[in-house]
Amino acid sequence: MSKRIGVLELAVLGLLHESPMHGYELRKRLNSVLGTFRAFSYGSLYPCLRDMLGRGWIAEDGAVDGAPALTGKRAKIVYRLTAEGKERFQQLLTEIGPSAWEDDDQFGVHFAFFARTEAEVRLRILEGRRRRLEERLDYVRASLTRTRERLDSYTLELQRHGLESVEREVRWLNELISSERAGAAPRAGDSSQVSPTEPFGDPSPAGSPS
Amino acid sequence: MSKRIGVLELAVLGLLHESPMHGYELRKRLNSVLGTFRAFSYGSLYPCLRDMLGRGWIAEDGAVDGAPALTGKRAKIVYRLTAEGKERFQQLLTEIGPSAWEDDDQFGVHFAFFARTEAEVRLRILEGRRRRLEERLDYVRASLTRTRERLDSYTLELQRHGLESVEREVRWLNELISSERAGAAPRAGDSSQVSPTEPFGDPSPAGSPS
DNA sequence: GTTAGCATGTAAGGAGTTACATGATTTT
DNA sequence: AAAATCATGTAACTCCTTACATGCTAAC
């Protein structure tokens, strides 16, 4: 039960929600929106599109408003979201199950579309994810205490780094959760030169630091 | 070309190198050694064992020296590494290819068995991994600079966190690499109560296991 | 006019999971 | 003697990748 939904399908629905696109472009946007999380190949994208077309969630769309006007011919196949597709997308986002936090990728994709997700659902996903990670921490820490004498220093170091990574993600979730409860958007400030132009909650226009 | 080797196979070889074990135990050790990295189910382990048996890398082993003596009957099937298996293991560890750093899991498993890996190979893997991550950073940062205006604050936050994670791993690798060059073992100190008992170059076969 | 990149696909298969099925042994 | 957990497996399936095959179009 609780069929495992492919990451790809949800991502495609989410991207087409913004604007119609053809496959090639979709794949690029996909890999850029998901950032370090995940990368997809055409070999998985096109069959997925064919499937979704068959199920009526997307439809072909010849030369629409937003698309660049071509010389007349078109080799491109632009897809747009149908009404059923929009419904499906909302359903996938709202009817969350453990899949949204069990799996790293699933969580990543869900998070990527948080802007289109109800506040309540966002909170449940974040909290579910946090709980899941804390369970992992408990489990790993316990088995580490039991077996650490038998592990060489490299294995230990791997464990240590792994634990630290998960702890870090928990802290991140903590911040996000209190942000959410306060009704604010995530900070999304600075880092390198990443600055929010269209925030959601608070505008802080930064120049263009090359 | 360069057949992609399953993570599982290498891990099994590595674990059986320490001592003979039966499937159930193997799976537990597997998930404990790999820590937060990866978890396996029986449905993948047993078929893998069957395969490896067929290829002659492991063999059944009725009640050997290290194993607990049973009442006479045995339902357990204890596997041990054959000579070919040992050779295969060393080959997999030494004949590294991109697989050792391209894929997160592959890198994790390779790292887990660094204690049995030549210093030179360790260094190459660490550096390969670092380079790979830096390429990812470049790519993501570039596409982020191009498209950051179009991203909502959640997507941005996801990107930011992703970047930070990778940057953190690069710093970790930097430390490991200079450690390696200095000829030392990784620090593996503190954290919770994790303390190094066996500092480095001794794969001593631990006194009496239970 | 040829390389580079855009664009769309398919066939084969890898690596693993879930869910099921079954029995032995230890604990309560 | 019931419940837990140890122990071994199989069948069907999922989701995605690699490698291939093909053509168009923009740049040099």
Side-chain angles (χ1 to χ4, degrees), chain B residues 1 36 46 80 110 128 169 209:
Chain B
M1 44 188 83
T36 51
Y46 285 114
R80 69 178 158 75
H110 273 85
E169 193 170 341

Side-chain angles (χ1 to χ4, degrees), chain A residues 53 138 157 175-176:
Chain A
L53 198 65
D138 287 349
E157 176 60 22
E175 284 174 34
L176 288 170

Side-chain angles (χ1 to χ4, degrees), chain B residues 16-200:
Chain B
L16 287 185
H17 209 288
E18 294 171 10
S19 86
M21 260 178 270
H22 58 269
Y24 194 86
E25 203 184 345
L26 248 167
R27 190 239 182 182
K28 280 195 304 182
R29 289 275 295 147
L30 218 58
N31 294 341
S32 114
V33 165
L34 296 184
T36 51
F37 255 110
R38 195 111 183 36
F40 291 98
S41 59
Y42 300 115
S44 44
L45 178 57
Y46 285 114
C48 176
L49 287 173
R50 197 212 302 128
D51 256 44
M52 295 174 71
L53 198 64
R55 292 174 195 223
W57 297 335
I58 59 177
E60 291 189 28
D61 184 46
V64 267
D65 44 293
L70 290 164
T71 45
K73 253 183 181 175
R74 77 180 160 107
K76 298 185 190 181
I77 301 173
V78 177
Y79 295 98
R80 69 178 158 75
L81 217 54
T82 62
E84 287 90 356
K86 283 177 196 174
E87 218 173 298
R88 171 75 174 164
F89 180 60
Q90 278 306 321
Q91 185 203 14
L92 285 180
L93 282 187
T94 311
E95 281 184 13
I96 48 151
S99 35
W101 47 73
E102 292 286 355
D103 180 55
D104 293 12
D105 293 332
Q106 281 286 347
F107 171 74
V109 178
H110 273 85
F111 191 93
F113 297 116
F114 260 20
R116 295 187 189 285
T117 309
E118 291 164 34
E120 197 203 324
V121 176
R122 288 199 300 256
L123 204 57
R124 267 202 291 166
I125 291 180
L126 291 172
E127 283 170 342
R129 176 68 174 173
R130 181 175 58 178
R131 186 134 77 78
R132 185 69 176 77
L133 291 184
E134 272 165 351
E135 280 168 19
R136 254 201 248 178
L137 281 178
D138 287 349
Y139 177 77
V140 173
R141 275 202 271 251
S143 78
L144 194 52
T145 317
R146 262 189 284 105
T147 63
R148 75 172 187 285
E149 291 92 14
R150 285 190 287 165
L151 301 176
D152 62 278
S153 57
Y154 284 108
T155 312
L156 264 180
E157 176 60 22
L158 184 62
Q159 302 270 355
R160 198 195 58 71
H161 181 251
L163 275 180
E164 224 178 81
S165 299
V166 179
E167 283 162 358
R168 191 176 150 270
E169 193 170 341
V170 169
R171 284 196 299 274
W172 180 61
L173 289 170
N174 284 336
E175 284 173 34
L176 287 171
I177 287 168
S178 32
S179 244
E180 284 289 329
R181 284 210 232 269
R187 62 186 191 292
D190 72 284
S191 193
S192 318
Q193 59 266 68
V194 183
S195 52
T197 309
E198 43 190 65
F200 180 41

